[in-house]
């Protein structure tokens, strides 16, 4: 018997989860309810969860094996925990709509992000439902894009991270370790079997199966299609809030409207 209550925050995406304490071991019932809610709402929000790094990792492990992120920030002490420590986030990469790490051949299933230190105001994160983005395309456009493949590349996000002093990685070495990856433009979610638009401004570099000129015109249109508020929600963080999102059918955007320190801690699931 669980006390979990799931409260949607919009009709399309996002729900707050109450009645769960992530500092302790979860029952199978609780894990199943969280999984079910994630598939339904795409991103779940938890407040007042004062978990340490071990508890953060333990929570993620209920949902799959951990992904050790290839893009390491220089603040990381443990390979499983990515620390995002920013003061001037404008143009640093997370302020573009994106799925995480689609430059990988097998991008992560999801991420669990916790707020450690927040600016006095600002620093919200927006999330978009990419099933709804696909559904909102016209039928002829759906037919066109369903047959296409896109190429995703690490170069753009890593170049920004190095430029802004967040990563000390060697670009050439990383490009060799993570060669460009191909993914369908419309991804069928392995669990829900629903179709989601799966291209993003951070990592998708061109479309295959159309001419170069057609790709140059069509890709920006598809990436920008995420911008409609119809399929978005916006989360206002508190210290010890957590967001858990499904990276396969959702994009996110960190609003760069602050100039004070903001520290977040993320664990990613394969
Ligand atoms: C991210 O892009 O994963 C970070 C989101 C955030 O800092 O709000």
């Amino acid at each position: 018997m669980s006390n979990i209550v799931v409260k949607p925050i919009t009709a399309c995406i996002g729900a707050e989860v109450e009645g769960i304490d992530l500092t302790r071991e979860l029952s199978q019932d609780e894990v199943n309810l969280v999984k079910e809610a994630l598939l339904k709402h795409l991103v779940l929000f938890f407040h007042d969860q004062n978990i340490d790094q071990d508890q953060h990792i333990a929570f993620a492990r209920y949902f799959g094996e951990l992904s050790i992120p290839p893009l390491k920030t220089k603040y990381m002490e443990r390979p499983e925990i990515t620390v995002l420590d920013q003061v001037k986030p404008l143009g640093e990469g997370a302020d573009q709509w994106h799925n995480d790490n689609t430059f990988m051949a097998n991008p992560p299933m999801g991420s669990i992000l916790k707020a450690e230190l927040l600016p006095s105001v600002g620093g919200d994160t927006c999330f978009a439902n990419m099933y709804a983005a696909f559904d909102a395309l016209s039928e002829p456009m759906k037919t066109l894009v369903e047959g296409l493949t896109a190429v995703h590349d690490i170069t753009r996000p890593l170049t920004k991270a190095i430029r802004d002093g967040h990563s000390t990685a060697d670009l050439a070495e990383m490009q060799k370790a993570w060669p460009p990856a191909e993914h369908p433009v419309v991804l069928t979610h392995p669990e829900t079997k629903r179709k989601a638009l799966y291209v993003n401004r951070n990592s998708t570099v061109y479309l295959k199966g159309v001419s170069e000129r057609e790709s140059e015109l069509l890709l920006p249109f598809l990436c920008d299609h995420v911008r409609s508020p119809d399929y978005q929600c916006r989360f206002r963080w508190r210290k010890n809030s957590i967001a858990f999102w499904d990276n396969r059918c959702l994009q996110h955007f960190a609003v760069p409207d602050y100039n004070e320190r903001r520290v977040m801690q993320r664990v990613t699931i394969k």
Side-chain angles (χ1 to χ4, degrees):
M1 183 62 189
S2 103
N3 296 321
I4 291 184
V5 180
V6 179
K7 296 184 173 167
I9 65 163
T10 74
C12 184
I13 178 170
E16 288 186 340
V17 181
E18 296 175 358
I20 188 167
D21 175 0
L22 302 184
T23 62
R24 57 166 188 74
E25 207 176 307
L26 300 187
S27 67
Q28 194 55 50
D29 253 13
E30 288 175 311
V31 173
N32 293 346
L33 280 168
V34 171
K35 264 191 204 164
E36 209 177 283
L38 184 69
L39 291 178
K40 184 164 175 198
H41 300 287
L42 287 59
V43 56
L44 302 178
F45 305 113
F46 306 80
H47 286 295
D48 305 317
Q49 300 288 344
N50 190 12
I51 53 173
D52 62 21
Q53 293 197 339
D54 289 325
Q55 289 162 336
H56 194 160
I57 288 172
F59 178 50
R61 283 214 171 107
Y62 288 117
F63 306 98
E65 232 182 288
L66 300 192
S67 167
I68 304 302
L71 280 186
K72 307 217 179 319
T73 66
K74 67 178 185 199
Y75 322 98
M76 289 165 73
E77 281 164 15
R78 299 175 67 165
E80 308 91 338
I81 306 259
T82 302
V83 177
L84 307 168
D85 189 339
Q86 290 173 288
V87 178
K88 286 191 171 32
L90 189 67
E92 291 193 338
D95 58 332
Q96 297 249 41
W97 282 103
H98 64 284
N99 313 75
D100 287 327
N101 301 350
T102 55
F103 55 79
M104 297 169 79
N106 295 301
M109 163 269 172
S111 281
I112 300 178
L113 185 70
K114 173 174 178 246
E116 294 290 330
L117 180 71
L118 292 167
S120 43
V121 67
D124 296 352
T125 307
C126 301
F127 297 88
N129 178 333
M130 300 311 292
Y131 299 132
F134 174 72
D135 290 344
L137 294 171
S138 67
E139 291 308 318
M141 184 58 86
K142 281 183 189 157
T143 306
L144 169 65
V145 297
E146 273 195 88
L148 298 178
T149 298
V151 177
H152 299 241
D153 192 305
I154 195 171
T155 305
R156 195 183 297 150
L158 184 55
T159 303
K160 282 186 181 176
I162 295 170
R163 179 200 68 195
D164 296 326
H166 292 298
S167 172
T168 51
D170 181 278
L171 180 61
E173 260 177 38
M174 291 293 280
Q175 284 169 321
K176 208 163 144 203
W178 300 97
E182 293 185 8
H183 301 297
V185 169
V186 180
L187 184 82
T188 301
H189 191 289
E191 289 176 85
T192 65
K193 309 295 176 206
R194 294 184 62 193
K195 290 174 184 173
L197 193 57
Y198 197 66
V199 287
N200 68 85
R201 273 204 178 270
N202 267 6
S203 300
T204 314
V205 284
Y206 65 91
L207 301 174
K208 285 181 70 173
V210 292
S211 71
E212 196 177 333
R213 179 85 181 114
E214 286 165 341
S215 169
E216 284 167 6
L217 290 168
L218 186 54
L219 182 57
F221 165 77
L222 294 174
C223 289
D224 285 349
H225 189 60
V226 64
R227 289 173 180 264
S228 169
D230 292 5
Y231 24 88
Q232 295 175 9
C233 68
R234 178 169 179 142
F235 184 56
R236 182 155 302 163
W237 296 92
R238 310 201 297 244
K239 185 172 163 57
N240 294 329
S241 295
I242 287 177
F244 178 11
W245 64 83
D246 187 332
N247 193 49
R248 302 163 291 188
C249 52
L250 166 148
Q251 290 193 25
H252 55 287
F253 176 107
V255 181
D257 60 349
Y258 59 93
N259 291 300
E260 291 166 74
R261 198 162 168 224
R262 176 179 183 267
V263 182
M264 311 293 280
Q265 181 175 292
R266 185 176 63 207
V267 177
T268 300
I269 302 161
K270 269 189 189 168

